Amino acid sequence: MYSLKEYLSNRLRSYLGKENIFIDVSRSPIKGFDYSTNLLHVVKGLNENELVQYLREDEIIDNVEIINRFVNIRLNRKIVFRKILDNFASDEWRGYDLGKGKKVLIEFVSANPTGPLNAVNGRSATFGSVLSNVLKYFNYQVYKEYYVNDVGEQVEKLVDSFIERLKQVRGQEYQIPEGGYHGEYLKDLAEKFLNSSNYTQEREKIKQFLISYFVEEHKNTLYNFGVVFDNWFKQSSLTSLESTLKYLSEKGFLYEDDGAIYFTSTAFGDDKDRVVKKTRGRVDYTYFAYDIEYIKNKFERGFDQIITILGPDHHGYVNRLMAATKALGYSDHKIIILQIVNILEKDRALRMSKRKGVMVLLDELINKVKPEFLRYFFISRLKDSPLDLDLELINRMTLDNPLYYIFYVYARINGIIRNYSKTLPALASEVDSDIDDEEFGLFLSAQEFRDSVLSAINDPYYLTLWAHNFAKSFHRFYNSNKVICADELGIEKEKLRMIIILFSKGVLERWAELLNIELPEKM
């Protein structure tokens, strides 16, 4: 049994004989019942009596009632308690082999080496690293890659801008070119470069210096942020572009118009055909041409699936990248778009642009906020939603800070354990006590972590949602129930509650492992 919700959903699908139908299973609002399903609202004409009888035949189900066409289920608490705990204690709880060793390449962040990383890059770094951990949890072989755009017009504009900054620091007249980079960081770097042993006036050497400098800076920033990549893949290492375009041409997917070469991406659902080779400019091939070759390169390296995580200004890339994937004869390419990040500073949201030089740097955020706090908040909204990072709230060590609220659960659990004068019970211990509604409710909240991990395959946000909901359940239970209660309620009731506490501790630790967060034992 992976999770109760999944188990019940699969039982209902088996009853219908339909594997692909979505059936919602959620907590029942009816007192005395645990879960409820909307099955009768989704599928019309079912025999209600047969459905109730079918469900009651399951050993984990005590009772079923239909109220307002919602099927409400009361679980057999002792059986469910034992099954979940035995599964968790034997570590089978971790071993849900959804991935079956499938090789997955996740590419994320991949900021151009034209300036420091910013807050949007931080959201991408967090999303990609947590998603990688989730997939590993399910036995996918995950490879994290950063794509370095060291070829192209933007790099050339960076060099142009830097050369002008060199003139500036030498006291000469200078003019940042149209479409160039205006950030003050280039002036600071130009001063260092001018006085270093690396100084040169050769354009190509300047370019290589800039690329190496910013790539190394990105690596250091991400390392300090708690994110490490398996590979930094340079665009310049793609050496089969001509043969790839020849292959597409032979397939009839390229054509020439007014001297430029176009890819027929409209044949695969894009809104317009895309240029792969230009007629003007310093760079012949477009970024998209290299994107095509990079997709091919990923699959040729033996990956079964590739996942590409893009920033908020890349919505137009989805259809063209999927078109390229299909034209190359591949299909398993998942593209994820993350929304904008706004940094709230004194109730004002700062906008970010490398070129204009208005940036909230990831390094600056790390200096102001602990990286693990940032990582939590970077995935605290759905990927499709804009994210407002309120630095004052994140740093506030009070219960209105969601992560502090979660930390307080773990600290309270450890406080209970420290105050427990007896030998801690094993999770596999038999308990001769009935499980009341509050106890079972907390237990269900803890085990629903596994549902959140399943949902996190699509969006790690669900891990933060589970943690906050679980924290609410725990604090509510803690405030109305004594855990060390043998004198008042008997040794068996105390043992039961301690087992639930220990189970909750273990689940929280697995949650923290996925988010790369260290939980505090005391607060």
Side-chain angles (χ1 to χ4, degrees), residues 487-512:
D487 292 343
E488 299 91 338
L489 302 175
I491 192 67
E492 288 300 314
K493 178 61 73 174
E494 183 180 86
K495 185 199 291 187
L496 168 67
R497 291 185 177 178
M498 280 303 299
I499 288 173
I500 294 173
I501 291 298
L502 293 171
F503 176 61
S504 297
K505 180 177 186 287
V507 173
L508 262 181
E509 287 168 349
R510 295 208 174 160
W511 171 83

mmCIF file of all heavy atoms in Angstrom, residues 487-512:
data_model
loop_
_atom_site.group_PDB
_atom_site.id
_atom_site.type_symbol
_atom_site.label_atom_id
_atom_site.label_comp_id
_atom_site.label_asym_id
_atom_site.label_seq_id
_atom_site.Cartn_x
_atom_site.Cartn_y
_atom_site.Cartn_z
ATOM 1 N N ASP A 487 -0.347 8.352 33.462
ATOM 2 C CA ASP A 487 -1.016 8.505 34.746
ATOM 3 C C ASP A 487 -2.502 8.791 34.579
ATOM 4 O O ASP A 487 -3.322 8.337 35.385
ATOM 5 C CB ASP A 487 -0.365 9.635 35.553
ATOM 6 C CG ASP A 487 1.045 9.289 35.995
ATOM 7 O OD1 ASP A 487 1.401 8.087 35.970
ATOM 8 O OD2 ASP A 487 1.812 10.219 36.328
ATOM 9 N N GLU A 488 -2.857 9.548 33.547
ATOM 10 C CA GLU A 488 -4.261 9.912 33.342
ATOM 11 C C GLU A 488 -5.022 8.896 32.483
ATOM 12 O O GLU A 488 -6.177 8.578 32.769
ATOM 13 C CB GLU A 488 -4.365 11.289 32.672
ATOM 14 C CG GLU A 488 -3.759 12.439 33.474
ATOM 15 C CD GLU A 488 -2.307 12.675 33.127
ATOM 16 O OE1 GLU A 488 -1.658 11.738 32.603
ATOM 17 O OE2 GLU A 488 -1.803 13.782 33.397
ATOM 18 N N LEU A 489 -4.381 8.405 31.414
ATOM 19 C CA LEU A 489 -5.112 7.605 30.421
ATOM 20 C C LEU A 489 -4.593 6.181 30.278
ATOM 21 O O LEU A 489 -5.160 5.391 29.517
ATOM 22 C CB LEU A 489 -5.045 8.310 29.052
ATOM 23 C CG LEU A 489 -5.612 9.738 29.010
ATOM 24 C CD1 LEU A 489 -5.376 10.366 27.648
ATOM 25 C CD2 LEU A 489 -7.102 9.741 29.341
ATOM 26 N N GLY A 490 -3.510 5.840 30.958
ATOM 27 C CA GLY A 490 -3.003 4.474 30.890
ATOM 28 C C GLY A 490 -1.798 4.339 29.985
ATOM 29 O O GLY A 490 -1.576 5.125 29.059
ATOM 30 N N ILE A 491 -1.011 3.291 30.225
ATOM 31 C CA ILE A 491 0.240 3.085 29.510
ATOM 32 C C ILE A 491 0.034 2.791 28.032
ATOM 33 O O ILE A 491 0.831 3.200 27.182
ATOM 34 C CB ILE A 491 1.061 1.953 30.187
ATOM 35 C CG1 ILE A 491 2.492 1.927 29.645
ATOM 36 C CG2 ILE A 491 0.358 0.604 30.027
ATOM 37 C CD1 ILE A 491 3.307 3.110 30.011
ATOM 38 N N GLU A 492 -1.050 2.083 27.676
ATOM 39 C CA GLU A 492 -1.290 1.742 26.267
ATOM 40 C C GLU A 492 -1.641 2.981 25.441
ATOM 41 O O GLU A 492 -1.204 3.117 24.297
ATOM 42 C CB GLU A 492 -2.392 0.687 26.158
ATOM 43 C CG GLU A 492 -1.974 -0.704 26.617
ATOM 44 C CD GLU A 492 -0.813 -1.254 25.805
ATOM 45 O OE1 GLU A 492 -0.845 -1.157 24.558
ATOM 46 O OE2 GLU A 492 0.147 -1.776 26.413
ATOM 47 N N LYS A 493 -2.426 3.887 26.030
ATOM 48 C CA LYS A 493 -2.765 5.125 25.311
ATOM 49 C C LYS A 493 -1.505 5.973 25.113
ATOM 50 O O LYS A 493 -1.292 6.562 24.055
ATOM 51 C CB LYS A 493 -3.826 5.899 26.091
ATOM 52 C CG LYS A 493 -4.232 7.236 25.478
ATOM 53 C CD LYS A 493 -4.843 7.072 24.089
ATOM 54 C CE LYS A 493 -6.250 6.485 24.128
ATOM 55 N NZ LYS A 493 -6.883 6.475 22.788
ATOM 56 N N GLU A 494 -0.661 6.015 26.126
ATOM 57 C CA GLU A 494 0.587 6.763 25.999
ATOM 58 C C GLU A 494 1.476 6.158 24.922
ATOM 59 O O GLU A 494 2.075 6.883 24.108
ATOM 60 C CB GLU A 494 1.318 6.768 27.342
ATOM 61 C CG GLU A 494 2.611 7.582 27.322
ATOM 62 C CD GLU A 494 3.305 7.570 28.668
ATOM 63 O OE1 GLU A 494 4.076 6.619 28.932
ATOM 64 O OE2 GLU A 494 3.068 8.521 29.452
ATOM 65 N N LYS A 495 1.559 4.816 24.891
ATOM 66 C CA LYS A 495 2.370 4.151 23.874
ATOM 67 C C LYS A 495 1.842 4.473 22.473
ATOM 68 O O LYS A 495 2.614 4.771 21.554
ATOM 69 C CB LYS A 495 2.368 2.641 24.093
ATOM 70 C CG LYS A 495 3.299 1.898 23.125
ATOM 71 C CD LYS A 495 2.969 0.428 23.017
ATOM 72 C CE LYS A 495 3.287 -0.322 24.296
ATOM 73 N NZ LYS A 495 3.109 -1.800 24.093
ATOM 74 N N LEU A 496 0.519 4.428 22.301
ATOM 75 C CA LEU A 496 -0.093 4.747 21.010
ATOM 76 C C LEU A 496 0.305 6.147 20.558
ATOM 77 O O LEU A 496 0.734 6.351 19.414
ATOM 78 C CB LEU A 496 -1.615 4.642 21.117
ATOM 79 C CG LEU A 496 -2.425 5.215 19.943
ATOM 80 C CD1 LEU A 496 -2.200 4.390 18.684
ATOM 81 C CD2 LEU A 496 -3.913 5.290 20.283
ATOM 82 N N ARG A 497 0.184 7.106 21.452
ATOM 83 C CA ARG A 497 0.474 8.491 21.078
ATOM 84 C C ARG A 497 1.965 8.695 20.804
ATOM 85 O O ARG A 497 2.337 9.457 19.907
ATOM 86 C CB ARG A 497 -0.023 9.442 22.173
ATOM 87 C CG ARG A 497 -1.548 9.486 22.237
ATOM 88 C CD ARG A 497 -2.084 10.498 23.223
ATOM 89 N NE ARG A 497 -3.544 10.537 23.169
ATOM 90 C CZ ARG A 497 -4.312 11.298 23.933
ATOM 91 N NH1 ARG A 497 -3.747 12.125 24.829
ATOM 92 N NH2 ARG A 497 -5.620 11.274 23.819
ATOM 93 N N MET A 498 2.811 8.005 21.551
ATOM 94 C CA MET A 498 4.247 8.114 21.290
ATOM 95 C C MET A 498 4.597 7.529 19.915
ATOM 96 O O MET A 498 5.449 8.063 19.203
ATOM 97 C CB MET A 498 5.048 7.412 22.375
ATOM 98 C CG MET A 498 5.207 8.213 23.650
ATOM 99 S SD MET A 498 5.974 9.844 23.437
ATOM 100 C CE MET A 498 7.573 9.422 22.769
ATOM 101 N N ILE A 499 3.938 6.448 19.542
ATOM 102 C CA ILE A 499 4.189 5.858 18.222
ATOM 103 C C ILE A 499 3.787 6.846 17.119
ATOM 104 O O ILE A 499 4.511 7.025 16.120
ATOM 105 C CB ILE A 499 3.454 4.518 18.077
ATOM 106 C CG1 ILE A 499 4.141 3.455 18.945
ATOM 107 C CG2 ILE A 499 3.412 4.067 16.618
ATOM 108 C CD1 ILE A 499 3.408 2.130 19.007
ATOM 109 N N ILE A 500 2.649 7.503 17.299
ATOM 110 C CA ILE A 500 2.215 8.503 16.314
ATOM 111 C C ILE A 500 3.222 9.651 16.250
ATOM 112 O O ILE A 500 3.548 10.166 15.168
ATOM 113 C CB ILE A 500 0.794 9.018 16.647
ATOM 114 C CG1 ILE A 500 -0.239 7.889 16.499
ATOM 115 C CG2 ILE A 500 0.427 10.195 15.746
ATOM 116 C CD1 ILE A 500 -1.627 8.263 16.959
ATOM 117 N N ILE A 501 3.751 10.041 17.418
ATOM 118 C CA ILE A 501 4.757 11.107 17.469
ATOM 119 C C ILE A 501 6.025 10.682 16.729
ATOM 120 O O ILE A 501 6.602 11.443 15.943
ATOM 121 C CB ILE A 501 5.068 11.469 18.933
ATOM 122 C CG1 ILE A 501 3.874 12.170 19.582
ATOM 123 C CG2 ILE A 501 6.317 12.325 19.037
ATOM 124 C CD1 ILE A 501 3.504 13.477 18.943
ATOM 125 N N LEU A 502 6.484 9.468 16.974
ATOM 126 C CA LEU A 502 7.700 8.978 16.328
ATOM 127 C C LEU A 502 7.503 8.820 14.820
ATOM 128 O O LEU A 502 8.411 9.098 14.028
ATOM 129 C CB LEU A 502 8.119 7.642 16.954
ATOM 130 C CG LEU A 502 8.587 7.721 18.415
ATOM 131 C CD1 LEU A 502 8.760 6.329 18.988
ATOM 132 C CD2 LEU A 502 9.884 8.515 18.521
ATOM 133 N N PHE A 503 6.329 8.370 14.428
ATOM 134 C CA PHE A 503 5.995 8.265 13.001
ATOM 135 C C PHE A 503 6.030 9.653 12.358
ATOM 136 O O PHE A 503 6.619 9.846 11.280
ATOM 137 C CB PHE A 503 4.620 7.628 12.852
ATOM 138 C CG PHE A 503 4.121 7.547 11.438
ATOM 139 C CD1 PHE A 503 4.800 6.830 10.468
ATOM 140 C CD2 PHE A 503 2.948 8.186 11.074
ATOM 141 C CE1 PHE A 503 4.329 6.755 9.158
ATOM 142 C CE2 PHE A 503 2.454 8.115 9.775
ATOM 143 C CZ PHE A 503 3.153 7.398 8.821
ATOM 144 N N SER A 504 5.440 10.628 13.037
ATOM 145 C CA SER A 504 5.424 12.001 12.520
ATOM 146 C C SER A 504 6.843 12.539 12.372
ATOM 147 O O SER A 504 7.160 13.223 11.390
ATOM 148 C CB SER A 504 4.622 12.901 13.465
ATOM 149 O OG SER A 504 3.264 12.493 13.532
ATOM 150 N N LYS A 505 7.701 12.234 13.338
ATOM 151 C CA LYS A 505 9.093 12.671 13.283
ATOM 152 C C LYS A 505 9.794 12.091 12.056
ATOM 153 O O LYS A 505 10.481 12.808 11.304
ATOM 154 C CB LYS A 505 9.822 12.232 14.551
ATOM 155 C CG LYS A 505 11.305 12.630 14.624
ATOM 156 C CD LYS A 505 11.904 12.209 15.964
ATOM 157 C CE LYS A 505 13.339 12.715 16.125
ATOM 158 N NZ LYS A 505 14.287 11.957 15.269
ATOM 159 N N GLY A 506 9.613 10.789 11.831
ATOM 160 C CA GLY A 506 10.246 10.144 10.682
ATOM 161 C C GLY A 506 9.763 10.699 9.354
ATOM 162 O O GLY A 506 10.553 10.909 8.423
ATOM 163 N N VAL A 507 8.467 10.983 9.270
ATOM 164 C CA VAL A 507 7.904 11.531 8.032
ATOM 165 C C VAL A 507 8.441 12.938 7.783
ATOM 166 O O VAL A 507 8.827 13.282 6.658
ATOM 167 C CB VAL A 507 6.365 11.526 8.087
ATOM 168 C CG1 VAL A 507 5.786 12.259 6.887
ATOM 169 C CG2 VAL A 507 5.829 10.101 8.137
ATOM 170 N N LEU A 508 8.497 13.765 8.814
ATOM 171 C CA LEU A 508 9.032 15.117 8.661
ATOM 172 C C LEU A 508 10.482 15.085 8.202
ATOM 173 O O LEU A 508 10.909 15.920 7.391
ATOM 174 C CB LEU A 508 8.930 15.875 9.985
ATOM 175 C CG LEU A 508 7.756 16.824 10.170
ATOM 176 C CD1 LEU A 508 7.839 17.497 11.528
ATOM 177 C CD2 LEU A 508 7.677 17.867 9.064
ATOM 178 N N GLU A 509 11.244 14.141 8.707
ATOM 179 C CA GLU A 509 12.650 14.035 8.312
ATOM 180 C C GLU A 509 12.775 13.659 6.842
ATOM 181 O O GLU A 509 13.676 14.150 6.150
ATOM 182 C CB GLU A 509 13.365 13.019 9.205
ATOM 183 C CG GLU A 509 13.590 13.552 10.616
ATOM 184 C CD GLU A 509 14.029 12.495 11.611
ATOM 185 O OE1 GLU A 509 13.971 11.287 11.264
ATOM 186 O OE2 GLU A 509 14.393 12.858 12.742
ATOM 187 N N ARG A 510 11.873 12.824 6.354
ATOM 188 C CA ARG A 510 11.909 12.489 4.920
ATOM 189 C C ARG A 510 11.500 13.686 4.078
ATOM 190 O O ARG A 510 12.035 13.906 2.988
ATOM 191 C CB ARG A 510 11.004 11.290 4.652
ATOM 192 C CG ARG A 510 11.519 10.049 5.355
ATOM 193 C CD ARG A 510 11.127 8.791 4.647
ATOM 194 N NE ARG A 510 11.781 7.663 5.292
ATOM 195 C CZ ARG A 510 11.391 6.415 5.179
ATOM 196 N NH1 ARG A 510 10.340 6.131 4.440
ATOM 197 N NH2 ARG A 510 12.040 5.445 5.775
ATOM 198 N N TRP A 511 10.559 14.450 4.584
ATOM 199 C CA TRP A 511 10.150 15.678 3.889
ATOM 200 C C TRP A 511 11.343 16.628 3.787
ATOM 201 O O TRP A 511 11.631 17.175 2.721
ATOM 202 C CB TRP A 511 9.008 16.326 4.669
ATOM 203 C CG TRP A 511 8.631 17.692 4.194
ATOM 204 C CD1 TRP A 511 7.800 17.987 3.153
ATOM 205 C CD2 TRP A 511 9.075 18.942 4.728
ATOM 206 N NE1 TRP A 511 7.695 19.355 3.006
ATOM 207 C CE2 TRP A 511 8.466 19.959 3.960
ATOM 208 C CE3 TRP A 511 9.914 19.303 5.783
ATOM 209 C CZ2 TRP A 511 8.684 21.319 4.215
ATOM 210 C CZ3 TRP A 511 10.138 20.652 6.033
ATOM 211 C CH2 TRP A 511 9.519 21.645 5.251
ATOM 212 N N ALA A 512 12.039 16.828 4.908
ATOM 213 C CA ALA A 512 13.176 17.751 4.932
ATOM 214 C C ALA A 512 14.295 17.280 4.016
ATOM 215 O O ALA A 512 15.003 18.092 3.403
ATOM 216 C CB ALA A 512 13.690 17.903 6.365
#
